[in-house]
Amino acid sequence: MTLRIGVIGTGMIGSDHARRIQTVLAGASIVALSDVNIDGARAVQSEIAPDAVLYSTGEELIASPDVDAVLITSWGGTHAQYVLAAIAAGKPCFCEKPLATTADDARRIVDAEVAYGKRLVQVGFMRRYDAGYRLLKKVVDSEIGTPLMVHTAHRNPTVPEQYVTPMAIHDTLIHEIDVFRWLLDDDYVSAQVVFPRASRHSHAKLADPQIVLFETKKGVRIDVEIFVNCRYGYDIQCQVVGEEGLANLPEPMAIVTRKDAKVQNAILTDWKDRFVDSYDVELADFIQAASRGTAAGPSSWDGYVASITSDACVEAQEKAGQIIDIALPERPSLYN
Ligand code: NAP
């Protein structure tokens, strides 16, 4: 059976996921498209999914009997309304991060899914599907003893002028927030943000770099350097220090050259290239689970926890140096 997918939001990531489903992955087909910018949906129809039907609203697309599952890739502020509509219709949905832009909306989604009684939502935290992180998790789980500390960095060469301090949490750190919980099978109890000397490449509305310090329930300390004007490349680092040894996230594959008395390899510069393979794997997982009428991978609960944690981190930015407690409600058994 081919899973019939409708896409809401046909911008950058929506059109890329549509291409992936149409040309790379098996088991699914794009049958419906919707976007407030109808020309964008039309372009995806003509270039990627000629048989797809255009819907004027996301709600109509979700309600269509021709749509089995939904991809929500519109602007973040619209995700909650579409996820709630998909749950109400009993249709599996893949929602790009963030699940919602407020913790209250994310909680509403969790409650609706729990009331439905079965998982229907996968959140687009694709790092869990990255081959490097998966290898790292295997080693952390089996070879280096109990994890004690994690040293990490998220560096971008530059960011657009409109990128301001809180975006370092909502747009950048959000992936780390999710992936460390999964990597360590743990939750956060507090966050603190400290600001080193600012880079001259930043501007008045962006404190860059920043260091976020987490403590987890199990007592692990995690430091994350966020440096979005680092100039030299897009560089994701993660080192887990355990009782018996340490493990590093592998570097992306790159050709090493020896020339002019130098050994060199290129560093990526575009974030889109770093996790490109993981998008294929996460959507393959979505197609498999949605074909069985359910969802796998990062859940609404994970999206909700990410939202609570982001809010605490933004507060920690505003109260630089102060330790902000992160209190999580009890996890419903649906997510155990
Ligand atoms: P984008 O290029 O701006 O595309 C978003 C599209 O949604 C635009 O065509 C926009 O139309 C449309 N839209 C806005 N409001 C809508 C509504 N109410 N109903 C239907 N469509 C609506 O943005 P993007 O970069 O693709 O990002 C989309 C989402 O994916 C964001 O939440 C982002 O955080 C997430 N994302 C995740 C990753 C990842 O690595 N996991 C990477 C990139 C993006 P207008 O342009 O007319 O507003």
Side-chain angles (χ1 to χ4, degrees):
M1 186 198 100
T2 299
L3 183 76
R4 299 169 302 169
I5 295 182
V7 182
I8 303 174
T10 52
M12 194 270 294
I13 198 89
S15 56
D16 199 37
H17 285 341
R19 175 199 57 77
R20 203 163 260 124
I21 288 165
Q22 291 297 84
T23 62
V24 182
L25 302 173
S29 168
I30 303 295
V31 298
L33 299 162
S34 176
D35 195 296
V36 284
N37 170 11
I38 196 69
D39 289 340
R42 222 171 255 129
V44 171
Q45 183 192 42
S46 80
E47 288 160 29
I48 299 172
D51 296 332
V53 174
L54 299 184
Y55 288 81
S56 47
T57 69
E59 282 81 2
E60 285 170 54
L61 178 148
I62 291 166
S64 166
D66 298 327
V67 171
D68 303 318
V70 185
L71 227 61
I72 300 165
T73 47
S74 48
W75 172 65
T78 66
H79 291 178
Q81 81 189 66
Y82 296 133
V83 174
L84 286 167
I87 294 171
K91 295 190 181 179
C93 68
F94 173 91
C95 177
E96 259 309 341
K97 61 86 188 161
L99 175 64
T101 44
T102 67
D104 284 348
D105 276 351
R107 177 78 228 193
R108 270 188 273 281
I109 291 170
V110 165
D111 291 343
E113 197 176 35
V114 168
Y116 184 78
K118 186 166 75 165
R119 274 201 59 194
L120 287 176
V121 183
Q122 177 179 340
V123 182
F125 288 130
M126 75 296 178
R127 283 201 193 178
R128 296 184 186 204
Y129 294 95
D130 172 67
Y133 272 108
R134 287 188 158 197
L135 262 177
L136 179 63
K137 180 160 176 60
K138 220 168 157 186
V139 171
V140 168
D141 285 346
S142 60
E143 290 183 36
I144 60 165
T146 303
L148 307 173
M149 294 173 280
V150 186
H151 306 299
T152 75
H154 188 143
R155 304 193 186 107
N156 295 57
T158 56
V159 284
E161 191 64 23
Q162 62 268 27
Y163 185 108
V164 291
T165 300
M167 292 171 79
I169 306 299
H170 294 303
D171 293 76
T172 300
L173 186 72
I174 188 82
H175 287 293
E176 269 83 11
I177 287 175
D178 179 70
V179 85
F180 301 150
R181 291 180 59 241
W182 166 82
L183 185 63
L184 302 171
D185 190 20
D186 207 344
D187 266 314
Y188 307 112
V189 293
S190 74
Q192 181 187 23
V193 177
V194 293
F195 297 99
R197 181 176 178 178
S199 161
R200 72 185 171 86
H201 298 296
S202 192
H203 55 81
K205 292 189 175 162
L206 173 61
D208 188 46
Q210 320 180 15
I211 299 171
V212 182
L213 300 160
F214 287 114
E215 184 181 0
T216 72
K217 271 189 185 155
K218 294 177 185 167
V220 180
R221 294 285 183 162
I222 304 171
D223 53 89
V224 193
E225 171 201 313
I226 306 170
F227 187 14
V228 296
N229 283 290
C230 81
R231 317 309 277 182
Y232 72 85
Y234 182 72
D235 193 10
I236 300 298
Q237 296 289 328
C238 182
Q239 180 182 76
V240 183
V241 183
E243 279 176 327
E244 314 297 336
L246 64 83
N248 281 319
L249 181 70
E251 295 288 335
M253 190 168 66
I255 297 295
V256 177
T257 57
R258 285 173 155 76
K259 192 169 170 243
D260 299 333
K262 286 185 189 135
V263 180
Q264 287 183 318
N265 65 265
I267 295 178
L268 295 174
T269 53
D270 189 337
W271 62 267
K272 289 190 212 84
D273 299 327
R274 176 62 180 83
F275 294 106
V276 67
D277 296 334
S278 63
Y279 294 123
D280 292 346
V281 188
E282 73 170 352
L283 284 180
D285 203 27
F286 174 69
I287 291 168
Q288 262 194 20
S291 299
R292 300 191 313 269
T294 185
S299 66
S300 297
W301 179 254
D302 297 315
Y304 176 44
V305 172
S307 186
I308 293 173
T309 307
S310 302
D311 288 350
C313 290
V314 171
E315 187 182 347
Q317 285 180 324
E318 289 162 3
K319 299 175 179 167
Q322 278 189 42
I323 295 171
I324 306 298
D325 290 338
I326 301 174
L328 298 181
E330 202 181 321
R331 177 162 60 182
S333 58
L334 182 67
Y335 305 106
N336 286 341

